[in-house]
């Protein structure tokens, strides 16, 4: 989840987007949460709000959807050879989008 990524101090796509597009205040607040293992519920909610208001969340969802569509298109040539496997992999790719939202 994005919160465990924050407590682990990971520089995810969400974080990079805030660093590039967020206000100075957004960057400072988010930076204060990165790597903080005792993040409170209020701080976690604020981090999520920063991702939402800066557009980082929507951008990440859009990029994920683009990558999944690219992967699904790459599977199409295999659909004649093993349709069940292709169907499974396409469903798995779709699940990855839903799981991450």
């Amino acid at each position: 989840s994005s919160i465990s990524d924050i407590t682990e101090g990971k520089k995810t796509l969400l974080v990079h987007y805030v660093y590039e597009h967020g206000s100075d205040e957004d960057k400072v607040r988010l930076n204060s949460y990165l790597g903080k293992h005792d993040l409170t519920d209020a701080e976690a909610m604020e981090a999520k709000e920063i991702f939402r208001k800066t557009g980082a969340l929507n951008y990440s969802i859009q990029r994920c959807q683009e990558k999944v569509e690219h992967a699904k298109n790459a599977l199409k040539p295999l659909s004649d050879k093993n349709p069940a496997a292709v169907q499974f992999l396409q469903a798995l790719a779709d699940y990855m989008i839903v799981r991450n939202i």
Side-chain angles (χ1 to χ4, degrees), residues 2-4 10 21 36 46 56 67 71 79 82-83 85 87 92:
S2 61
I3 297 307
S4 64
K10 292 182 181 177
H21 303 282
K36 185 176 181 186
E46 185 176 354
K67 296 295 183 185
S79 57
N82 195 337
Q87 185 178 10
L92 182 61

Side-chain angles (χ1 to χ4, degrees), residues 64-79 86-95 97:
C64 183
Q65 289 171 332
E66 289 170 2
K67 296 295 183 185
V68 165
E69 285 306 311
H70 180 74
K72 287 168 63 175
N73 286 334
L75 290 170
K76 286 181 181 177
L78 303 174
S79 57
V86 169
Q87 185 178 10
F88 170 77
L89 291 171
Q90 288 177 333
L92 182 61
D94 287 333
Y95 170 74
I97 292 175

Side-chain angles (χ1 to χ4, degrees), residues 7-54:
T7 60
E8 293 171 19
K10 292 182 181 177
K11 300 287 192 336
T12 63
L13 181 60
L14 291 165
V15 172
H16 282 283
Y17 191 92
V18 172
Y19 283 168
E20 289 183 22
H21 303 282
S23 69
D24 289 341
E25 182 181 344
D26 291 334
K27 294 172 195 176
V28 168
R29 295 300 299 160
L30 184 59
N31 200 46
S32 72
Y33 301 146
L34 288 177
K36 185 176 181 186
H37 297 288
D38 58 345
L39 197 67
T40 67
D41 289 343
E43 291 168 334
M45 291 299 292
E46 185 176 354
K48 287 182 178 183
E49 177 59 18
I50 290 169
F51 293 145
R52 188 201 59 74
K53 77 176 185 175
T54 60

